[in-house]
């Protein structure tokens, strides 16, 4: 029983971490995304913000259910303090794209691992979320590739932003990967290589010849 | 920004329900085919489309084009 409680606590923490990052990203997508480089990117950023905030709400409600809260769900006025500091610190388009890509790739890896564990309480909650997450990754990767292929100081500034958020995401992935509570409770399969998969995807982004239409 | 990247125009086609006509609903400009799909998804989200596709404008094989409405246009064509 104690083991189950520890597992549940770890799962609630995990869900809140994802929800907090999505909550803050949704806010930043509106705040910074409104002044995106072109009309399509801006409109998509605003629409994506609604998606991120919707995911955050679903995840917060799920965490309330797991904590045994009955009746009307509390109003969410701010994140619970688990969002990555660099996500909170987003102030411009370059930082937004670096964080959006990094965080979404990390979240996708964790959500896929949860799905792989096939825990009955988890699967139906994250299936749709994972599908919608895919578009956020395509969008942010498309923009990350453009910024890396751009001129002047932009590629260097993008890499700098990426380097700020990467350690925070990696540290979190490592803690999830090493969580004995999540594994023993059946929420996460053993032997997941979250950090290695994450580093591989980031390395591919940095080394890939840009797929954008060279002018 | 974007001094190495060009944007292409994509036409967006959708079908509301199975059996409906595929209708041209607008355009997006995008840097890659993948971004064009994402832009179309987010910008034209007023319906729960059963089908949506984007076609790069310069990949359309034109069989017939309208002629210019004014003599000047035809002469300059």
């Amino acid at each position: 029983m104690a083991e189950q409680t520890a597992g549940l606590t770890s799962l609630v923490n995990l869900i809140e971490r994802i929800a907090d990052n999505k909550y803050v990203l949704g806010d930043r997508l509106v705040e910074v995304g409104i002044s995106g480089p072109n009309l399509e990117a801006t409109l998509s950023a605003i629409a994506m913000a609604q998606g991120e905030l919707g995911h955050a709400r679903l995840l917060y409600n799920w965490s309330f259910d797991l904590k045994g809260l009955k009746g009307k769900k509390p109003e969410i006025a701010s994140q619970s303090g688990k969002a990555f500091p660099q996500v909170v610190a987003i102030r411009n388009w370059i930082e937004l794209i670096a964080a959006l890509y990094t965080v979404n790739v990390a979240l996708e890896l964790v959500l896929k691992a949860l799905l792989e564990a096939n825990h009955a309480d988890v699967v139906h909650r994250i299936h749709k979320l994972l599908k919608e997450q895919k578009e956020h990754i395509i969008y942010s990767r498309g923009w990350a590739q453009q910024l890396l292929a751009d001129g002047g100081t932009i590629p260097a500034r993008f890499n700098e932003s990426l380097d700020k958020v990467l350690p925070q995401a990696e540290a979190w992935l490592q803690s999830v990967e090493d969580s004995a509570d999540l594994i023993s409770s059946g929420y996460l399969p053993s032997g997941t290589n979250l950090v290695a998969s994450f580093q591989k995807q980031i390395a591919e982004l940095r080394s890939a010849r840009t797929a954008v239409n060279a002018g | 920004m974007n001094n190495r990247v060009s944007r292409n125009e994509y036409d967006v086609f959708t079908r509301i329900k199975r059996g409906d006509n595929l209708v041209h609903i607008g355009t997006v400009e995008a840097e890659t085919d993948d971004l064009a799909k994402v832009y179309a998804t987010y910008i034209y989200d007023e319906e729960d489309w059963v089908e949506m596709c984007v076609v790069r404008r310069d990949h359309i094989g034109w069989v017939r084009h309208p002629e210019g409405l004014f003599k000047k246009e035809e002469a300059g064509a």
Side-chain angles (χ1 to χ4, degrees):
Chain A
M1 190 66 189
E3 188 184 304
Q4 193 183 11
T5 307
L8 256 184
T9 308
S10 298
L11 182 66
V12 169
N13 278 331
L14 181 85
I15 293 166
E16 283 180 351
R17 171 86 75 171
I18 298 173
D20 278 356
N21 277 303
K22 284 184 168 288
Y23 182 88
V24 179
L25 272 178
D27 176 70
R28 299 286 86 198
L29 274 164
V30 174
E31 199 68 29
V32 176
I34 192 75
S35 49
N38 59 52
L39 183 65
E40 282 87 352
T42 296
L43 289 172
S44 299
I46 305 302
M48 214 174 302
Q50 294 178 37
E52 294 288 16
L53 292 170
H55 289 173
R57 190 182 58 178
L58 282 174
L59 292 164
Y60 283 129
N61 285 345
W62 183 18
S63 76
F64 294 144
D65 288 343
L66 291 172
K67 286 192 243 179
L69 255 72
K70 304 281 180 208
K72 196 172 180 289
K73 299 283 187 289
E75 210 50 46
I76 309 293
S78 63
Q79 59 135 334
S80 71
K82 296 186 185 73
F84 300 144
Q86 184 56 26
V87 174
V88 180
I90 293 169
R91 291 290 176 271
N92 57 51
W93 182 256
I94 293 174
E95 288 172 354
L96 175 71
I97 296 300
L100 189 64
Y101 182 68
T102 308
V103 170
N104 274 316
V105 167
L107 298 188
E108 189 191 38
L109 285 167
V110 172
L111 292 171
K112 276 184 174 170
L114 288 172
L115 205 60
E116 202 184 314
N118 210 18
H119 196 289
D121 299 341
V122 173
V123 172
H124 74 281
R125 297 270 191 173
I126 59 173
H127 212 271
K128 188 164 178 270
L129 195 141
L130 199 51
K131 201 177 152 197
E132 290 172 358
Q133 181 97 354
K134 200 83 203 156
E135 278 162 356
H136 300 196
I137 293 178
I138 295 171
Y139 174 88
S140 52
R141 188 177 55 221
W143 268 101
Q145 286 173 335
Q146 283 186 69
L147 294 172
L148 284 168
D150 214 314
T153 60
I154 292 172
R157 285 175 57 200
F158 180 76
N159 273 316
E160 200 180 301
S161 299
L162 211 51
D163 287 336
K164 282 184 195 164
V165 69
L166 283 177
Q168 295 165 15
E170 276 178 13
W172 176 59
L173 288 174
Q174 191 66 61
S175 71
V176 174
E177 199 175 299
D178 295 341
S179 172
D181 293 335
L182 286 173
I183 295 167
S184 62
S185 306
Y187 292 119
L188 212 65
S190 59
T192 52
N193 292 312
L194 298 175
V195 177
S197 306
F198 178 73
Q199 286 171 339
K200 189 169 166 247
Q201 286 194 51
I202 299 297
E204 277 169 7
L205 171 79
R206 280 181 153 155
S207 66
R209 284 174 62 90
T210 180
V212 295
N213 309 315
Chain B
M1 211 179 266
N2 289 349
N3 53 356
R4 284 188 55 192
V5 176
S6 66
R7 307 177 81 215
N8 285 307
E9 196 165 357
Y10 293 78
D11 286 286
V12 183
F13 298 88
T14 57
R15 199 188 307 276
I16 298 180
K17 296 196 301 280
R18 285 172 192 272
D20 284 350
N21 290 331
L22 192 65
V23 178
H24 180 262
I25 56 161
T27 62
V28 289
E29 279 184 29
E31 299 77 6
T32 65
D33 294 353
D34 283 341
L35 275 176
K37 290 180 198 172
V38 174
Y39 290 164
T41 304
Y42 284 123
I43 294 169
Y44 297 101
D45 64 347
E46 64 270 28
E47 289 276 353
D48 189 13
W49 314 108
V50 70
E51 272 179 50
M52 173 183 266
C53 61
V54 293
V55 183
R56 217 170 104 169
R57 178 71 60 85
D58 59 6
H59 286 182
I60 295 177
W62 290 100
V63 178
R64 191 177 292 182
H65 248 311
E67 291 175 4
L69 290 174
F70 303 105
K71 287 283 178 205
K72 198 177 167 188
E73 281 182 22
E74 285 178 25

